[in-house]
Amino acid sequence: MSSEKASGGDVVTPVALADALASHGAEDENSIQDLRRLSGGANMETWAFDLVQEAVARPLILRRSPLLPGESAAAVSELPLSAEAALLPLVAEQGVPVPTVLCALSESDTLGPGYIMSRERGEALPGRILADDRYTAARRQLAWQCGETLARLHRVNLEQLPREVPNQTLSERLDGHQRLLDRFGNASPVHQLALNWLRQHAPSQRRHCLLHGDFRNGNLLVDEQGLVAVLDWELAHCGDPAEDLGYLCGNVWRFGYSDKPVGGFGDYHELLAGYREVAGWAPDMDAIHYWEVFCALGWGLVCLTMVDLYRSGADPTLERAAVGRRVSESEMDLLLLLEGRL
Amino acid sequence: MSHTDATELLAAVQGFLRQSVLPQLEGFDAYTTRVAANSLAIVSREIAARGDILDLDREAQSRWLAPAAAESSHDEGDYSAARALSLALRDGRLQVSSEFIDYLRQRTLRQMAIDNPRYSGFKQARQRWPELAVTAGVAEPGAAG
């Protein structure tokens, strides 16, 4: 662990932030105010602060990793932060609402690797977005807006992508899932049944594009009018455009509102209509269903990965241990999704 | 009077966390304390019901796997039967029948009743397959106290 960079308050200081933002008008440490840590596990830290210039406060976010690339214990491959910082301007160009990246921080920077971006106003907690009266009007538009936004995102020119963005065939990804199941002991016949089904029913892939990879309620910043920004791009990869749409409809991301298949807030036809408006076509319901199955298995693998992180000692928190008991949610969803299709 | 049994201790700690600790906390600590109390509730439910799942798995193992494969695992209390079935599925040694699917549904309904009886998919599944769901009630935390 000698190469591990110091985390938390030792490194993230007003002085270091002012230094990083010197070219953006930060004069000294007094320009950085209200610095606080928002969240973070072993791999990622998120900090909020204001950059104050001539009495005007600009709300910003620092996203950084206390680990060096390659040290992450995560089984799911995540984009390095430098690639994430390069990706955001590319999707913004296509009209996808995302935070504005101010500066990328490399490993050699005190604060790096990471980047600093604008802090957008809005709500990201699914419980509030789905229940508060304040978001009633937003909920009515959100599925359509998600469809439209995904269609824009899927237009990004693949040749411009940072080279770290994974670009695997579906068959390679299913092989990867099998390896993960085996690595975690393969103790769930439901997961294996689902993986077999995904292999047997793999759609012939006619289209291939950039995907967000984790486009769901919880990673969407919402205000009273609807979608404000799409967050958390670390699982971006290339693949079938229907994947992003089906993933958004996974039951686990409906947060209890199962009768609203799109994120717990909308209906399939709204999502597909929004997508069609921009793209000129939309996936069919069989494709959406396929990727809902993929999403449910993926959620199971995420839960098992968390257990692995806990057992290995890499992240010995209660949260990690407890999420291991959400594996059965994925099994339940898979059996519901596969009824009549086996 | 016997000593306090394990489920009683678990119920007592849950009560302490929810009624005495939680009201004093907010933010991340309150959230984690709720996770802690829920985790103890899972353990309580598992003590009551885990044996049923292992019985189902062993029965399925002897029904659908060749005796050689079935004999290879005799560890009491672990999930070796489920693992043997899963590996047989992976390697194409198990023909999926509607009876096998029903076993998976029964098993998952029981596991879900332990892990998170409030999950939306659990409710849907009980409505869809009422004959496979367990009807025997599992004691809610605190109900015994």
Side-chain angles (χ1 to χ4, degrees):
Chain A
M1 298 303 275
S2 59
S3 59
E4 188 176 340
K5 291 189 124 185
S7 65
D10 297 346
V11 174
V12 183
T13 60
V15 177
L17 285 164
D19 206 30
L21 289 166
S23 62
H24 290 271
E27 286 176 10
D28 56 35
E29 61 182 297
N30 296 319
S31 314
I32 307 299
Q33 291 184 10
D34 202 15
L35 172 64
R36 61 203 187 274
R37 185 165 172 182
L38 293 184
S39 68
N43 294 340
M44 192 67 67
E45 294 175 6
T46 307
W47 297 75
F49 63 97
D50 292 339
L51 169 61
V52 182
Q53 294 166 281
E54 292 166 7
V56 179
R58 188 171 180 188
L60 298 177
I61 291 276
L62 164 71
R63 205 163 139 75
R64 73 181 289 268
S65 172
L67 303 177
L68 293 170
E71 286 187 329
S72 165
V76 184
S77 67
E78 292 175 356
L79 281 187
L81 286 162
S82 57
E84 215 177 293
L87 195 58
L88 291 188
L90 286 178
V91 301
E93 251 174 57
Q94 296 299 325
V96 177
V98 284
T100 307
V101 176
L102 268 72
C103 67
L105 304 157
S106 73
E107 291 155 36
S108 54
D109 290 306
T110 316
L111 295 172
Y115 60 96
I116 294 170
M117 61 181 154
S118 60
R119 188 167 87 241
E120 307 296 330
R121 296 169 69 96
E123 181 60 64
L125 284 177
R128 293 202 188 137
I129 292 170
L130 295 179
D132 279 12
D133 290 343
R134 187 176 169 181
Y135 301 110
T136 305
R139 285 195 292 274
R140 279 199 284 268
Q141 310 180 55
L142 206 45
W144 197 91
Q145 290 172 336
C146 285
E148 189 200 24
T149 301
L150 283 172
R152 292 185 199 286
L153 153 65
H154 292 169
R155 283 175 166 176
V156 169
N157 183 351
L158 296 184
E159 286 168 16
Q160 292 181 307
L161 291 182
R163 63 185 162 76
E164 296 94 338
V165 175
N167 191 354
Q168 292 180 301
T169 64
L170 177 54
S171 163
E172 285 167 339
R173 292 176 69 199
L174 294 172
D175 288 348
H177 279 15
Q178 184 67 65
R179 282 194 297 276
L180 276 182
L181 279 185
D182 290 341
R183 177 177 149 194
F184 298 144
N186 206 328
S188 166
V190 176
H191 284 164
Q192 187 62 56
L193 180 83
L195 181 53
N196 291 358
W197 185 91
L198 285 166
R199 279 193 198 283
Q200 288 151 11
H201 295 82
S204 58
Q205 203 178 326
R206 294 183 304 274
R207 300 170 200 258
H208 194 70
C209 66
L210 172 68
L211 304 173
H212 178 280
D214 199 11
F215 194 95
R216 61 168 176 91
N217 198 355
N219 287 336
L220 306 173
L221 203 61
V222 168
D223 70 6
E224 290 81 351
Q225 278 76 50
L227 188 62
V228 173
V230 183
L231 309 173
D232 289 347
W233 291 78
E234 69 266 23
L235 297 180
H237 61 271
C238 295
D240 184 335
E243 177 178 344
D244 267 342
L245 286 86
Y247 186 89
L248 172 63
C249 302
N251 189 40
V252 64
W253 307 131
R254 298 180 200 172
F255 295 93
Y257 296 79
S258 293
D259 56 329
K260 291 285 184 192
V262 183
F265 48 74
D267 288 315
Y268 289 119
H269 68 88
E270 297 164 337
L271 173 71
L272 295 172
Y275 194 88
R276 196 176 290 111
E277 178 81 11
V278 171
W281 75 284
D284 61 29
M285 284 307 298
D286 274 344
I288 300 291
H289 173 267
Y290 181 87
W291 291 105
E292 279 187 40
V293 176
F294 194 94
C295 170
L297 178 60
W299 170 239
L301 288 169
V302 166
C303 294
L304 291 168
T305 302
M306 300 294 179
V307 178
D308 191 52
L309 284 173
Y310 177 80
R311 285 196 184 136
S312 71
D315 194 348
T317 57
L318 170 59
E319 255 187 306
R320 290 286 173 267
V323 85
R325 283 307 178 107
R326 299 190 63 186
V327 168
S328 44
E329 293 177 11
S330 82
E331 295 172 328
M332 197 83 266
D333 288 342
L334 286 166
L335 289 171
L336 288 165
L337 283 164
L338 293 177
E339 183 176 27
R341 299 200 185 229
L342 285 159
Chain B
M1 215 57 197
S2 68
H3 66 196
T4 336
D5 69 30
T7 47
E8 286 169 330
L9 280 175
L10 286 166
V13 179
Q14 279 180 71
F16 169 69
L17 289 176
R18 288 188 207 277
Q19 279 126 45
S20 306
V21 179
L22 200 52
Q24 301 178 45
L25 302 175
E26 52 186 49
F28 186 73
D29 288 337
Y31 165 75
T32 309
T33 302
R34 244 176 251 119
V35 173
N38 282 339
S39 299
L40 295 182
I42 291 172
V43 177
S44 300
R45 293 191 294 263
E46 176 155 311
I47 288 172
R50 188 185 185 207
D52 295 350
I53 296 175
L54 296 177
D55 288 347
L56 270 178
D57 288 346
R58 286 196 202 98
E59 199 184 303
Q61 186 181 28
S62 59
R63 182 165 173 191
W64 282 294
L65 295 186
E71 277 167 22
S72 68
S73 50
H74 274 301
D75 304 317
E76 287 296 317
D78 73 2
Y79 290 103
S80 60
R83 180 175 149 78
L85 289 160
S86 194
L87 293 178
L89 275 175
R90 182 192 69 184
D91 301 336
R93 289 182 280 115
L94 198 161
Q95 193 63 41
V96 176
S97 60
S98 61
E99 289 82 6
F100 182 72
I101 300 296
D102 274 350
Y103 146 68
L104 293 180
R105 288 172 182 162
Q106 279 182 319
R107 166 182 216 283
T108 306
L109 281 161
R110 280 165 174 74
Q111 188 66 48
M112 199 79 252
I114 292 173
D115 293 344
N116 182 7
R118 284 158 54 190
Y119 187 60
S120 62
F122 184 51
K123 193 177 158 196
Q124 286 177 54
R126 272 180 305 168
Q127 286 167 355
R128 230 188 258 188
W129 311 310
E131 71 285 3
L132 301 177
V134 239
T135 45
V138 176
E140 284 300 310

